[in-house]
């Protein structure tokens, strides 16, 4: 790897059936000091009391919020909701938010739909810049980031340190294809979701050690590795 300074965290959505305190207890026992809270179950953006309780628990267990895993979907969620998500992230102690870029692959968008989505991204970046936070697009199927050329175009079009990417390997692609994507998107990547899946099959992470060494070798800056599912 080019840089050994990877921070280790976990994603709360992997444990939706558990309470925040139970997740933090397990993280502490495992020596994990970072967590990405999901906005769907554990940390809803409008539940200020819950968010403050989680912030207090983080201090108690010595765990820091690396990022806020939102289900805000650009092009779908009303833009006025974005500031509520940003306020929630700040209550949790993070300036990084995970968002979703649309609900279709670039291959399925008309030119008009694509331009409208890009305009939404530029509007979101302006809000992020004003709030001094970073919005990271989930690297995911059926969003604009499904295909590498679209993801690169998005990053170049918005062209802002306040608008970045997550990365994870696409489980229906080959290691070689994932390496190409990882290398190209690395300069724009803030966090990495880590798991070992092949199609619908899930494997222990230890079975992907060699593969993951190759992937992480594409990232030259320190990143946070977030264990997911």
């Amino acid at each position: 790897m080019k840089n050994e300074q990877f921070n280790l965290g976990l994603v709360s959505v992997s444990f939706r059936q558990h309470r925040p305190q139970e997740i933090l207890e397990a993280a502490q026992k495992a020596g994990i000091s970072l967590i990405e809270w999901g906005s769907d179950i554990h940390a809803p953006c409008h539940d200020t009391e819950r968010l403050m309780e989680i912030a207090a628990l983080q201090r108690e267990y010595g765990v820091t919020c690396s990022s806020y895993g939102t289900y805000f979907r650009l092009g779908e969620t009303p833009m006025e909701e974005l500031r509520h998500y940003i306020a929630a992230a700040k209550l949790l102690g993070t300036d990084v938010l995970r968002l979703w870029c649309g609900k279709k692959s670039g291959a399925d968008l008309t030119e008009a739909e694509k331009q409208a989505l890009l305009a939404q991204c530029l509007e979101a970046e302006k809000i992020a810049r004003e709030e001094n936070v970073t919005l990271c697009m989930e690297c995911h199927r059926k969003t604009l980031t499904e295909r590498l050329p679209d993801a690169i175009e998005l990053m170049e079009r918005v062209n802002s340190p306040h608008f970045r990417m997550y990365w994870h390997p696409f489980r229906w692609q080959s290691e070689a294809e994932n390496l190409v994507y990882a290398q190209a998107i690395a300069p724009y990547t803030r966090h990495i979701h880590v798991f070992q899946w092949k199609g619908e099959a899930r494997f222990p992470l230890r079975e992907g050690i060699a593969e993951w060494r190759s992937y992480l070798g594409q990232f030259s800056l320190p990143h946070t590795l977030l264990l997911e599912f």
Side-chain angles (χ1 to χ4, degrees):
M1 286 181 282
K2 297 177 183 178
N3 196 310
E4 297 292 342
Q5 298 179 35
F6 289 95
N7 304 308
L8 184 62
L10 59 81
V11 176
S12 81
V13 298
S14 303
F15 308 98
R16 287 187 171 102
Q17 70 276 25
H18 292 284
R19 295 181 294 109
Q21 185 170 357
E22 293 173 325
I23 298 171
L24 290 169
E25 287 175 352
Q28 185 186 61
K29 290 177 182 177
I32 293 174
S33 59
L34 295 171
I35 187 166
E36 176 176 288
W37 292 107
S39 70
D40 57 341
I41 300 295
H42 294 117
C45 74
H46 291 287
D47 193 339
T48 300
E49 183 177 353
R50 170 80 67 84
L51 295 167
M52 293 179 68
E53 288 174 355
I54 290 175
L57 285 169
Q58 287 179 151
R59 292 189 292 271
E60 179 181 345
Y61 287 93
V63 174
T64 300
C65 182
S66 62
S67 41
Y68 188 34
T70 83
Y71 289 87
F72 186 101
R73 194 175 289 270
L74 287 157
E76 298 293 319
T77 309
M79 190 59 69
E80 56 266 25
E81 283 291 300
L82 184 55
R83 291 191 191 272
H84 293 295
Y85 282 95
I86 291 172
K90 290 181 177 181
L91 281 176
L92 293 170
T94 185
D95 60 359
V96 177
L97 293 86
R98 186 279 307 273
L99 274 65
W100 302 69
C101 198
K103 63 176 182 179
K104 295 180 182 179
S105 167
D108 299 322
L109 290 171
T110 65
E111 186 59 26
E113 288 173 331
K114 183 177 180 181
Q115 293 306 316
L117 180 55
L118 289 171
Q120 285 267 297
C121 293
L122 288 166
E123 185 179 350
E125 185 279 334
K126 182 176 182 293
I127 294 171
R129 188 162 18 100
E130 292 171 355
E131 296 280 357
N132 196 29
V133 298
T134 302
L135 308 179
C136 294
M137 302 302 104
E138 177 80 348
C139 180
H140 210 276
R141 200 175 180 186
K142 294 186 178 179
T143 73
L144 188 58
T145 61
E146 178 176 339
R147 303 190 308 173
L148 176 59
D150 292 322
I152 294 296
E153 180 184 1
L154 173 64
M155 291 296 105
E156 292 180 346
R157 178 77 170 271
V158 179
N159 189 28
S160 170
H162 295 280
F163 197 92
R164 301 280 86 177
M165 284 282 296
Y166 272 26
W167 181 81
H168 66 239
F170 286 96
R171 51 196 171 97
W172 61 88
Q173 291 185 348
S174 68
E175 180 179 348
E177 290 172 317
N178 283 323
L179 281 169
V180 169
Y181 197 128
Q183 183 179 48
I185 211 68
Y188 308 102
T189 300
R190 183 69 182 266
H191 291 343
I192 298 169
H193 280 159
V194 178
F195 51 80
Q196 187 65 18
W197 289 14
K198 298 296 180 183
E200 295 300 323
R202 305 185 184 191
F203 300 93
L205 191 55
R206 63 175 177 271
E207 295 188 18
I209 290 175
E211 188 173 326
W212 270 98
R213 285 188 180 278
S214 296
Y215 292 152
L216 296 183
Q218 309 308 309
F219 297 89
S220 59
L221 297 173
H223 290 78
T224 296
L225 307 182
L226 296 169
L227 301 174
E228 185 177 40
F229 301 113

